[in-house]
Amino acid sequence: MLVSQESHVFSGPLAEDLRLARADATDEEVHGALRLVGADGWARALPEGIHTAVGDVGHALTAEQGAQVALARAALADPAVLVLDEATAESGSRGAARLEEAAAAVLAGRTGLVVAHRMNQASRADRVLVVAEGRIVEEGPHADLLAAGGLYARLWEAYDDGR
């Protein structure tokens, strides 16, 4: 399953949007997926909860909420392999930490391929592949790549100095 940076919120009840991933999901399972990605609070606060219409015909969601919905869909689908292609990028800096935690929660217990430009997200991976000019130029765990002193280490140093 793929969750990309351009998450889409479908028009209609929030629960039905999430059930696109698994049609037989119960309301409790929908709430569980939303809870996993940190969205259950705002979803319960909607006028009709998860039965509130969202998207173009209903309640507008923020970019962060849209990304949470996409991640909750992935949680409901429960794929063995999950690809996150900049899935937390649309949140901006403000919601980045929350979405990175949500992504980590959805990835727990499954194989994941995470395309990320945020260094702190890359640093959490079991194995990092550094791509430059369309080629893999380094690979390994975060600590090993730092110790190697190559491109990844320079990128990490620039990121770390900026924090």
Side-chain angles (χ1 to χ4, degrees):
M1 176 171 203
L2 168 71
V3 178
S4 72
Q5 124 179 22
E6 294 93 22
S7 58
H8 182 76
V9 175
F10 295 92
S11 295
L14 177 59
E16 296 310 309
D17 182 313
L18 293 170
R19 286 190 180 107
L20 290 171
R22 201 175 95 223
D24 65 343
T26 66
D27 282 0
E28 188 49 45
E29 289 169 324
V30 167
H31 279 292
L34 289 166
R35 199 170 24 258
L36 180 69
V37 300
D40 195 44
W42 65 256
R44 287 187 186 274
L46 291 170
E48 297 174 54
I50 61 171
H51 302 289
T52 301
V54 296
D56 292 339
V57 299
H59 186 86
L61 300 182
T62 66
E64 180 181 351
Q65 290 169 331
Q68 287 174 313
V69 169
L71 289 167
R73 265 191 235 117
L76 274 177
D78 194 24
V81 177
L82 180 58
V83 177
L84 300 181
D85 185 2
E86 291 286 350
T88 64
E90 286 299 306
S91 67
S93 297
R94 222 170 113 154
R98 286 187 298 271
L99 282 180
E100 287 171 18
E101 291 302 319
V106 175
L107 285 166
R110 71 183 86 243
T111 299
L113 172 65
V114 180
V115 178
H117 288 96
R118 291 193 172 115
M119 293 301 293
N120 59 334
Q121 195 171 22
S123 72
R124 295 179 186 172
D126 296 328
R127 184 169 157 214
V128 177
L129 301 176
V130 181
V131 178
E133 298 179 15
R135 300 180 57 152
I136 297 172
V137 296
E138 293 180 295
E139 65 178 281
H142 171 76
D144 291 358
L145 292 175
L146 288 181
L151 177 58
Y152 183 85
R154 290 192 305 276
L155 290 169
W156 181 263
E157 184 178 328
Y159 161 75
D160 203 33
D161 285 348
R163 284 195 298 177

